[in-house]
Amino acid sequence: VLGCPGWRRSAHGLFFLPSFSLPAYLTVSIEPLPPVVVGDAVTLKCNFKTDGKMREIVWYRVTDGGTIKQKIFTFDAMFSTNFSHMENYRKREDLVYQSTVRLPEVRISDNGPYECHVGIYDRATREKVVLASGNIFLNVMAPPTSISVIAADTPAPFSRYQAQNFTLVCVVSGGKPAPLVYFKRDGEPIEATPLPEPPAAAGSWAPRNLLHRDLDDTKVPKSLAAAEGDAGGGRPPNTAEPPRGLAAERGPATEAIPETVVSREFPRWVHVAEPIYYFRHTHAPVSDGTVEARATLTWTLNPQIDNEALFSCEVKHPALSMPMQSEVTLVAPKGPKITMTPTRARVGDTVRILVQGFQNEVFPEPLFTWTRVGSRLLDGSAEHAGKELVLERVPAELNGSMYRCTAQNPLGSTDTHTRLIVFENPNIPRGTEDSNGSVTGHRSFRLVLALTLTVILELT
């Protein structure tokens, strides 16, 4: 009897224990992972414990909020005998398995949830499969790829008698998640007042307004007053009418004119000991999964103390081992370098006068304005905006004319002058061009002479 299935011996004698099958159990878990950086090699590990027989293992990548599951790995015990991807060992009559999926170089697109599905045969019948799953979210970080500092609302004119707000914008692209952005001045962190929304008006929240006593006549730049001439007096020597006619000598095409630097006699602006800075930080998602961050720093500009000040934008990000930064120095323009082509302008040529640069590194980008001293420009306008002034088909009357280029940014302004020398054109006889430089007089004279000769011949 003891050899028969189900019979057992006890202190009280023999008893019968009926045999039945317990259902197989299965537990699945995925080892958690810290955030990873783009380019790293990542291994996803799925651990499961069971006392049943393996049926299949399937890894999924979940997209579109869980609506789509992309199969990235499958192990089917019915058709495969390869267990190289699994490690197993026996523990208390249970089998503990580990299935791994390796991503050699993760990308931003790999960011998201992953699921590990495991199926085993039931111990009672092979027709029934017990299923269980685990999930994990793979957080892929990306360090910022670019950082730049620009000035908002530039180019802008220089204001001598009115305080104006100035804004630096730091643009950080390519990062995930959004980085921490902050500003420094001359290497020291700036304590700024958070500004959740941009100001409604530029001057509505300025720290202080100007006093009326600052708007006195003693602050009028003497150089500008001399250049424009007195209202009731004669013209100063440098604004006299340029000489007419062609240049007789064959000297240089342009005359060296000293630069006129506008006097920096700033008003006695009333400022606190330290400027009041306003800070605003925004970020917007990009289609590639990264974030573009923008930080703005706004304050009331004081050219006396802000000129040549060094501002830096620094970025901290968990994917960076050290801060990333970009620097700019606020500098007023000085010493514009002007070139003229052609170097020897002749009657009828198109002359281009261009500002190629400055003696110093200027920031922000200056505003350029061209004027003709003592008269209007060739096209009749009072001034021209831009780095280049184009004079088409210059006539002889422009010989000796002087042109002023004013370069200004919120930090300051400077003027420089150049004189145009127009030479004779052998292809155009003297006095045959009109005020626009086109040849008309000589052709008209030949036409009238030809008509007169025709009439005389018909009469005879």
Side-chain angles (χ1 to χ4, degrees):
V1 176
L2 292 178
C4 298
W7 286 94
R8 297 291 185 269
R9 181 191 298 273
S10 69
H12 303 285
L14 298 175
F15 69 94
F16 180 78
L17 181 64
S19 62
F20 58 91
S21 298
L22 296 175
Y25 72 92
L26 174 65
T27 59
V28 179
S29 64
I30 300 181
E31 293 186 8
L33 282 175
V36 297
V37 181
V38 169
D40 288 352
V42 176
T43 301
L44 304 179
K45 298 180 179 180
C46 177
N47 299 320
F48 50 97
K49 182 178 180 181
T50 181
D51 61 351
K53 188 175 182 181
M54 178 64 58
R55 171 62 179 87
E56 65 176 358
I57 304 172
V58 182
W59 280 88
Y60 293 96
R61 181 188 169 209
V62 184
T63 58
D64 293 341
T67 59
I68 299 178
K69 293 185 178 181
Q70 178 185 0
K71 188 180 295 185
I72 60 175
F73 174 80
T74 300
F75 169 77
D76 194 329
M78 293 183 62
F79 303 100
S80 176
T81 58
N82 182 16
F83 289 83
S84 60
H85 67 287
M86 295 191 302
E87 299 176 4
N88 64 86
Y89 55 91
R90 184 165 296 277
K91 178 181 179 183
R92 297 182 183 177
E93 299 181 353
D94 298 330
L95 290 179
V96 178
Y97 297 89
Q98 183 180 81
S99 176
T100 60
V101 172
R102 188 173 184 270
L103 306 176
E105 292 184 4
V106 293
R107 299 170 293 182
I108 288 290
S109 58
D110 295 326
N111 186 86
Y114 291 79
E115 294 182 357
C116 174
H117 292 247
V118 179
I120 64 170
Y121 290 111
D122 195 348
R123 295 177 62 181
T125 172
R126 292 180 59 89
E127 297 179 357
K128 183 179 179 181
V129 177
V130 179
L131 300 176
S133 64
N135 60 79
I136 187 176
F137 190 94
L138 181 61
N139 186 4
V140 181
M141 300 186 304
T145 57
S146 67
I147 178 174
S148 61
V149 179
I150 60 176
D153 303 323
T154 56
F158 167 66
S159 179
R160 184 177 304 278
Y161 303 112
Q162 182 179 3
Q164 55 182 329
N165 290 333
F166 185 75
T167 300
L168 288 176
V169 182
C170 181
V171 182
V172 184
S173 303
K176 177 186 174 297
L180 173 64
V181 185
Y182 55 95
F183 285 92
K184 288 184 178 181
R185 173 169 179 159
D186 297 326
E188 297 296 329
I190 296 177
E191 295 184 2
T193 302
L195 187 66
E197 297 295 335
S204 61
W205 52 277
R208 295 294 295 272
N209 292 326
L210 293 177
L211 301 181
H212 291 289
R213 62 185 174 88
D214 292 325
L215 305 178
D216 54 12
D217 294 335
T218 61
K219 299 298 186 299
V220 176
K222 298 299 186 291
S223 58
L224 288 181
E228 298 299 335
D230 298 332
R235 299 188 178 203
N238 65 335
T239 60
E241 191 70 21
R244 302 290 182 177
L246 298 177
E249 69 279 5
R250 294 291 177 176
T254 58
E255 180 180 346
I257 306 297
E259 176 195 1
T260 302
V261 179
V262 175
S263 175
R264 300 218 171 129
E265 299 176 2
F266 295 101
R268 297 182 298 275
W269 292 353
V270 180
H271 285 278
V272 293
E274 293 292 335
I276 299 179
Y277 295 97
Y278 297 87
F279 178 81
R280 184 167 183 255
H281 184 272
T282 60
H283 55 84
V286 186
S287 59
D288 61 357
T290 61
V291 176
E292 181 183 87
R294 285 178 176 263
T296 60
L297 184 70
T298 305
W299 75 99
T300 301
L301 191 70
N302 187 344
Q304 286 181 299
I305 62 175
D306 290 331
N307 191 40
E308 298 184 357
L310 174 65
F311 286 84
S312 61
C313 171
E314 296 194 4
V315 171
K316 286 185 178 181
H317 193 274
L320 293 174
S321 58
M322 59 185 301
M324 186 178 184
Q325 73 171 8
S326 177
E327 297 178 343
V328 293
T329 302
L330 305 187
V331 179
K334 183 179 179 181
K337 300 177 182 178
I338 295 181
T339 61
M340 182 182 297
T341 55
T343 55
R344 296 175 61 86
R346 300 184 300 178
V347 173
D349 288 346
T350 296
V351 178
R352 299 178 182 274
I353 310 176
L354 175 66
V355 179
Q356 285 194 329
F358 296 89
Q359 295 178 358
N360 56 345
E361 293 291 335
V362 179
F363 183 88
E365 177 70 17
L367 180 68
F368 299 93
T369 305
W370 292 90
T371 56
R372 180 182 173 185
V373 178
S375 182
R376 290 182 172 269
L377 296 175
L378 182 59
D379 60 0
S381 60
E383 62 182 24
H384 171 76
K387 297 180 66 174
E388 184 180 46
L389 175 65
V390 179
L391 305 174
E392 297 183 355
R393 299 188 302 275
V394 292
E397 287 78 4
L398 290 185
N399 179 50
S401 57
M402 184 177 293
Y403 297 87
R404 178 193 301 116
C405 176
T406 301
Q408 56 181 325
N409 67 6
L411 281 302
S413 175
T414 181
D415 289 349
T416 188
H417 297 76
T418 185
R419 190 183 299 276
L420 175 62
I421 306 299
V422 182
F423 294 94
E424 296 181 3
N425 192 336
N427 300 323
I428 304 176
R430 183 189 297 268
T432 59
E433 73 282 348
D434 60 12
S435 59
N436 292 326
S438 59
V439 182
T440 58
H442 189 62
R443 294 178 179 175
S444 300
F445 173 75
R446 289 188 297 176
L447 179 60
V448 172
L449 179 60
L451 291 175
T452 304
L453 293 176
T454 303
V455 172
I456 294 175
L457 290 176
E458 289 180 355
L459 292 176
T460 56

